[in-house]
Amino acid sequence: MDSDHNPDNVFNILVASDVHLGYGEKDPIRGDDSFNTFEEILQLADQREVDLILLGGDLFHDNKPSPQCIHRCMTLLRRYCLGDRPVAVEFLSDQAENFQHCMNPVVNYEDPNLNISIPVYSIHGNHDDPSGFGRIATLDLLSASGLINYFGKWTDLTQIHISPLLLQKGTSRLAIYGLSYIKDERLSRLYKDRKVTMLRPKEYVEDWFNIMVLHQNRVMRGSKNYVPETAIDKFVDLVIWGHEHECRIDPELNPEQGFYVIQPGSPVATSLCEGEAVEKFVTILNIHKKEFNVEKIKLKTVRPFVMDSLNLSNCTLNRTDGLLSDEVQLYLTERVEDLVRRSQDQLTGHRKQPTLPLIRLRVTYSEEMEYFNPIRFGQQFSDKVANPMDMILLKRERKEKKVKSEDLLDKDAIRNTIDNDEEAVGDEWGSRAETVVERYFSEGGDAKQLRVLSVRGLAEAVKRFIDKGDNDAISDITNYFSVFIDLALANSSLDRTASCPIPHQLPRNMDLT
């Protein structure tokens, strides 16, 4: 081997994202799926003796995971990432700057009290982001225990300065820029106002291989509800894109910006859609100076998942009144049996791979007589599939309906908004309540505008209250707007042309504009 390409000069990095530990952990069938796959990822890192593991956010499915979930995660990290094997990577940047949010701002393998063999670096995602009193994320707990190097956490969301982790291995230099999850609308505004700055090393500027790790919408879900690749600085060589669950592990060149994008996707299916049904991979990234290559590795512990769609209008059925529903169920039974057989092709033989598959059959019907109870229907497959309760998704084929001008609430518009968001990869559409509310009001014209409360602020408050248990979210926003209105009334009584000042005590991390 050429001395310049000696292994001592090559970074070996295992890249993964969106592990979602704890997803469905109370499900007696699917509860171990996320932990089994995470263990497989750590085993691969250990067997291949990688220099580090780089995670793109959403290590946990909830920002307040159960004690059992945290315990299982810590146990796995201790088992595979602690040991006597020396770390060959030198950490060059200011650790106090990179880990300023940590109580102990030191990279874990340089802590004399720890014995780290595989450093793990992670940003947070939208599921495991800081919230509640003290703004402490579960990653903060793992950082305090020395098991993870948590970077890219923001305390000032009015101006973002991304200071890279600077690493060196032999003759190769690596700069890793971390951008933990920020609400897409807020981040879009920051980019537009040129308030996102990526700081570059002062020495050997052109010699660094630059990686950016972020956790945002990549697919356009509204003009301000994603991060366009064109917003990312052109000096970046490679982007690790978290949040999107479809596995697109092969590097994709952005010809306009000149960098490549790797989208690891989620190793566990958290929603039943096409993006989750593709094969699941992680990658080992090899970096030598300004060149890189990837070795994608198929995960063997992933639960088989097969999905299909059909429209009953296109099916040959005995449409006798009173028997049509039974005829439909007989027909769908055969289709489900076929999907179960197809799922067997995804079995790898790994001892920890679940054998009961996930099945999703989306059925569109047009006649009332075609309807049946999908939950009762699914029970006959309780010993053949992992998700009999939501195996069948029934949708009625709707004819276009003229909306009356006097209708204050367009129910069809709301349904269409939800339907269009159903296939959003990365989160279940049910967790995208803020997007549904915002799109309904923003696209509906003047007749559908909230006149006092901010649509975005109200939607986020409701989401935080439901999903993250933030009991103060709704009171914060109502108190904020009551103060706002009082100021507006006071100003109008003094001077009808005066501008209304915005109160300074805004709810923390809540976008109200």
Side-chain angles (χ1 to χ4, degrees):
M1 178 180 291
D2 188 286
S3 59
D4 195 39
H5 286 76
N6 187 292
D8 293 338
N9 299 323
V10 180
F11 284 97
N12 298 296
I13 304 171
L14 189 146
V15 177
S17 184
D18 295 87
V19 178
H20 285 272
L21 289 176
Y23 174 76
E25 65 179 333
K26 295 182 179 180
D27 188 320
I29 297 176
R30 303 170 63 184
D32 291 331
D33 287 7
S34 61
F35 298 101
N36 288 339
T37 305
F38 185 50
E39 182 173 19
E40 182 186 4
I41 293 171
L42 296 177
Q43 286 176 338
L44 286 170
D46 184 43
Q47 293 166 4
R48 304 299 292 271
E49 296 186 349
V50 300
D51 295 312
L52 58 99
I53 298 173
L54 188 58
L55 302 178
D58 279 357
L59 176 58
F60 294 93
H61 185 67
D62 297 306
N63 68 340
K64 295 180 181 179
S66 68
Q68 179 187 10
C69 179
I70 299 174
H71 178 263
R72 295 184 70 174
C73 175
M74 296 178 72
T75 300
L76 291 173
L77 289 171
R78 285 179 57 88
R79 182 181 304 163
Y80 295 102
C81 298
L82 270 60
D84 296 327
R85 182 166 66 86
V87 177
V89 176
E90 185 180 1
F91 200 99
L92 301 180
S93 54
D94 184 358
Q95 300 181 32
E97 172 68 21
N98 296 143
F99 308 113
Q100 58 181 293
H101 56 278
C102 301
M103 295 297 293
N104 184 32
V106 178
V107 65
N108 61 356
Y109 64 87
E110 292 188 3
D111 189 326
N113 299 311
L114 300 172
N115 212 22
I116 304 295
S117 62
I118 306 177
V120 179
Y121 295 85
S122 181
I123 62 173
H124 72 248
N126 61 309
H127 277 259
D128 53 8
D129 62 330
S131 67
F133 178 74
R135 315 303 298 173
I136 297 297
T138 308
L139 291 182
D140 284 304
L141 304 181
L142 297 182
S143 172
S145 68
L147 295 174
I148 275 185
N149 299 297
Y150 175 25
F151 70 110
K153 179 180 179 179
W154 305 112
T155 54
D156 181 6
L157 294 179
T158 62
Q159 184 82 35
I160 303 295
H161 296 288
I162 308 177
S163 182
L165 312 177
L166 300 182
L167 311 176
Q168 182 168 340
K169 184 179 182 185
T171 59
S172 296
R173 296 182 175 91
L174 176 63
I176 303 177
Y177 295 82
L179 182 62
S180 287
Y181 172 75
I182 302 172
K183 276 188 67 69
D184 290 289
E185 297 88 344
R186 181 190 292 273
L187 185 58
S188 175
R189 186 164 61 250
L190 290 172
Y191 269 117
K192 180 181 179 181
D193 295 339
R194 300 181 182 276
K195 292 185 178 181
V196 178
T197 306
M198 298 178 67
L199 307 178
R200 302 192 67 179
K202 295 181 180 179
E203 299 180 349
Y204 311 107
V205 177
E206 301 303 324
D207 293 341
W208 296 90
F209 187 90
N210 302 291
I211 296 179
M212 184 175 186
V213 188
L214 76 164
H215 190 99
Q216 306 289 153
N217 283 337
R218 183 182 180 189
V219 178
M220 184 176 180
R221 300 188 177 103
S223 60
K224 298 180 181 180
N225 204 17
Y226 81 117
V227 174
E229 294 181 12
T230 53
I232 300 173
D233 291 60
K234 291 186 176 182
F235 74 83
V236 172
D237 298 294
L238 178 65
V239 177
I240 307 299
W241 208 299
H243 184 62
E244 302 287 355
H245 280 207
E246 181 181 1
C247 183
R248 294 161 58 178
I249 204 68
D250 294 313
E252 302 171 11
L253 175 65
N254 184 306
E256 183 177 352
Q257 299 299 97
F259 53 67
Y260 287 85
V261 180
I262 291 178
Q263 183 176 300
S266 174
V268 61
T270 63
S271 58
L272 303 178
C273 59
E274 283 92 344
E276 296 273 27
V278 301
E279 290 183 314
K280 307 287 190 179
F281 293 85
V282 293
T283 188
I284 292 183
L285 180 63
N286 301 306
I287 300 172
H288 177 255
K289 294 187 175 179
K290 294 291 288 185
E291 299 178 353
F292 79 97
N293 60 66
V294 298
E295 178 189 354
K296 63 181 184 180
I297 302 174
K298 183 178 178 179
L299 295 172
K300 298 180 179 180
T301 57
V302 177
R303 185 180 294 276
F305 176 24
V306 181
M307 69 177 302
D308 200 359
S309 302
L310 63 88
N311 190 322
L312 292 178
S313 299
N314 302 325
C315 301
T316 303
L317 299 170
N318 179 8
R319 298 187 174 276
T320 305
D321 290 345
L323 300 176
L324 183 54
S325 177
D326 294 337
E327 182 72 14
V328 167
Q329 293 183 65
L330 288 173
Y331 179 80
L332 294 182
T333 298
E334 296 179 3
R335 292 296 293 265
V336 172
E337 294 282 3
D338 180 60
L339 294 179
V340 172
R341 285 191 293 269
R342 284 168 50 188
S343 72
Q344 303 304 302
D345 296 336
Q346 299 181 21
L347 295 177
T348 64
H350 193 285
R351 65 184 182 85
K352 284 197 172 182
Q353 184 188 28
T355 55
L356 288 181
L358 292 171
I359 301 295
R360 168 52 67 92
L361 181 58
R362 295 180 299 188
V363 180
T364 303
Y365 70 99
S366 56
E367 302 179 34
E368 194 66 36
M369 295 299 294
E370 294 173 331
Y371 182 80
F372 60 95
N373 188 321
I375 298 178
R376 184 181 302 166
F377 174 82
Q379 293 307 306
Q380 62 182 304
F381 296 96
S382 58
D383 59 341
K384 296 181 179 180
V385 303
N387 60 318
M389 301 290 285
D390 58 357
M391 180 181 65
I392 301 293
L393 178 64
L394 282 176
K395 283 187 175 181
R396 182 155 191 175
E397 190 173 24
R398 293 190 298 271
K399 298 179 180 179
E400 296 204 4
K401 177 182 176 182
K402 186 175 180 181
V403 181
K404 297 180 180 179
S405 58
E406 63 269 19
D407 285 347
L408 296 179
L409 186 64
D410 188 346
K411 297 180 180 179
D412 285 341
I414 293 180
R415 291 194 191 98
N416 290 333
T417 302
I418 294 174
D419 289 345
N420 291 336
D421 201 44
E422 177 189 338
E423 303 304 326
V425 180
D427 294 320
E428 301 87 345
W429 64 261
S431 69
R432 302 292 298 170
E434 76 281 8
T435 302
V436 173
V437 173
E438 180 183 352
R439 285 171 57 188
Y440 173 75
F441 282 105
S442 63
E443 298 173 6
D446 292 340
K448 296 175 185 172
Q449 295 298 312
L450 287 181
R451 298 300 183 183
V452 179
L453 292 177
S454 156
V455 173
R456 198 170 300 162
L458 178 60
E460 184 181 352
V462 173
K463 177 178 172 55
R464 285 183 175 275
F465 175 74
I466 295 174
D467 292 350
K468 301 186 177 181
D470 189 349
N471 294 328
D472 297 326
I474 297 177
S475 61
D476 279 346
I477 192 173
T478 52
N479 290 339
Y480 163 73
F481 278 110
S482 65
V483 173
F484 183 89
I485 294 170
D486 289 342
L487 288 170
L489 293 175
N491 272 349
S492 66
S493 64
L494 296 174
D495 181 0
R496 292 185 179 275
T497 63
S499 60
C500 178
I502 302 296
H504 294 290
Q505 294 183 343
L506 303 179
R508 288 183 178 179
N509 282 358
M510 190 173 290
D511 189 355
L512 302 178
T513 58

